[in-house]
């Protein structure tokens, strides 16, 4: 049905797309997904916010929400530009790490 696609380095996607000044990019198709992109940004924001609130409630620690939101957003931008999906954090891993390390004063 579709032609076989070989594995390539992640930067090859951008190199091929930008050849010829972006003539290989279908901007009409891209603009039709803007509403999906806006919804995804809102969902990622809410996911990060709820994870922080859950972490504070479950572990009784205070978090620098501005710093955490910046890092979460930066991480999602980097992974997306490399051709991957956005990240998803889970509270259970925070609880496990907190239990193993016995606090928030060091990193393992």
């Amino acid at each position: 049905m579709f032609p076989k696609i070989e594995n390539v380095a992640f930067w090859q996607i951008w190199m091929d797309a930008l050849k010829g000044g972006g003539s290989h990019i279908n901007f009409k198709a891209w603009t039709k997904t803007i509403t999906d992109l806006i919804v995804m940004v809102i969902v990622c924001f809410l996911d990060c916010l709820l994870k922080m609130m859950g972490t504070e409630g479950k572990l009784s620690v205070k978090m620098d929400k501005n710093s955490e939101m910046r890092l979460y957003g930066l991480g999602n931008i980097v992974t997306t530009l490399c051709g991957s999906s956005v990240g998803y954090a889970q509270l259970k891993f925070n609880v496990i790490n907190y239990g193993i390390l016995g606090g928030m004063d060091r990193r393992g």
Side-chain angles (χ1 to χ4, degrees):
M1 181 173 194
F2 296 104
K4 185 176 178 180
I5 297 175
E6 299 296 326
N7 286 333
V8 296
F10 73 92
W11 60 82
Q12 193 64 43
I13 297 167
W14 294 102
M15 299 301 291
D16 291 344
L18 297 176
K19 282 181 187 172
S23 62
H24 298 308
I25 300 173
N26 184 348
F27 286 102
K28 282 186 179 180
W30 186 78
T31 56
K32 290 183 187 253
T33 65
I34 292 294
T35 53
D36 295 331
L37 179 63
I38 292 168
V39 169
M40 184 186 70
V41 168
I42 292 169
V43 167
C44 287
F45 171 78
L46 290 173
D47 171 57
C48 182
L49 190 61
L50 290 172
K51 182 198 150 250
M52 286 188 298
M53 300 301 277
T55 299
E56 284 185 343
K58 191 81 168 173
L59 304 179
S60 300
V61 296
K62 289 304 258 177
M63 299 175 72
D64 181 6
K65 291 179 183 67
N66 289 331
S67 175
E68 290 293 325
M69 290 293 282
R70 254 186 241 110
L71 288 172
Y72 191 81
L74 182 63
N76 281 335
I77 289 169
V78 169
T79 57
T80 301
L81 290 177
C82 292
S84 184
S85 62
V86 295
Y88 176 73
Q90 294 186 6
L91 179 60
K92 66 182 177 183
F93 295 121
N94 289 355
V95 174
I96 291 170
N97 285 336
Y98 186 83
I100 291 171
L101 296 177
M104 298 288 292
D105 56 342
R106 64 185 180 96
R107 292 182 177 249

